[in-house]
Amino acid sequence: MKDFRIGQGFDVHKLVQERKLILCGVEIPSEYGLLGHSDADVAIHALMDALLGALALGDIGMIFPDNDPAYAGADSMELLKKVLAMPEFSSYKLLNCDLTIIAQKPKLSPWREAMRQRIAAVTGWEMDRISVKFTTTEKLGFTGRGEGIAATAVAALGKE
Ligand code: MG
């Protein structure tokens, strides 16, 4: 392989009432949802930052400013498509990505396959290169108190 790249991303959004909870493009039934300028899909935001980081292209705040009305209520899966459509990505293949969603509640593991499938459908990546994991923080900190959800992502890209 001529070039191997790795990037990491991290994001946090606040949980509030009367918002949808959308994670990896999947709407999860929940009393609380994530607050944000876009649909606040914290996992996909972390993934986009990992991808941008791998190619040293900055971060999503630079590319999709949160004061730009064009991105109000934006579907983060559409933003992910836009990131991957950047010309810099055209010569790279995704080797794998690994996401961790840090949430005390709701229980997310029943949605794992739906999330992986949604990422695969939007990106064209193979399912066995897409990992989605969940953890709690044992009721500690803002995630543990249910005040927000955090996500981390790592993505590896390669060029032949
Ligand atoms: Mg975000």
Side-chain angles (χ1 to χ4, degrees):
M1 189 166 290
K2 265 199 233 153
D3 194 16
F4 170 77
R5 299 295 188 103
I6 189 159
Q8 63 93 28
F10 174 72
D11 196 25
V12 170
H13 281 266
K14 185 177 176 178
L15 278 168
V16 294
Q17 282 181 315
E18 291 173 10
R19 283 275 299 187
K20 287 180 181 172
L21 178 59
I22 296 169
L23 293 168
C24 297
V26 177
E27 189 177 333
I28 315 288
S30 168
E31 284 178 66
Y32 296 89
L34 293 172
L35 184 64
H37 185 63
S38 67
D39 64 5
D41 190 333
V42 66
I44 296 303
H45 293 186
L47 176 60
M48 288 190 280
D49 265 355
L51 292 163
L52 291 167
L55 300 190
L57 295 172
D59 56 50
I60 53 170
M62 240 173 72
I63 295 170
F64 308 118
D66 68 4
N67 56 5
D68 185 336
Y71 303 118
D75 175 349
S76 294
M77 285 309 212
E78 292 302 315
L79 303 182
L80 174 59
K81 282 187 202 165
K82 283 198 166 87
V83 165
L84 292 171
M86 290 168 72
E88 291 87 346
F89 284 95
S90 63
S91 54
Y92 286 89
K93 175 179 165 36
L94 179 92
L95 299 176
N96 75 305
C97 64
D98 185 18
L99 282 63
T100 302
I101 300 174
I102 303 155
Q104 195 65 41
K105 59 176 187 181
K107 190 165 176 57
L108 296 171
S109 53
W111 305 95
R112 185 192 324 267
E113 292 315 302
M115 292 180 187
R116 294 176 66 221
Q117 281 165 10
R118 184 88 167 90
I119 294 171
V122 166
T123 60
W125 298 336
E126 295 141 13
M127 284 281 285
D128 66 355
R129 296 177 187 272
I130 303 167
S131 160
V132 178
K133 313 198 302 296
F134 311 104
T135 191
T136 71
T137 49
E138 301 287 345
K139 299 191 174 165
L140 295 168
F142 72 86
T143 53
R145 291 188 296 269
E147 294 167 9
I149 292 180
T152 68
V154 175
L157 303 173
K159 179 154 65 172
E160 287 306 331

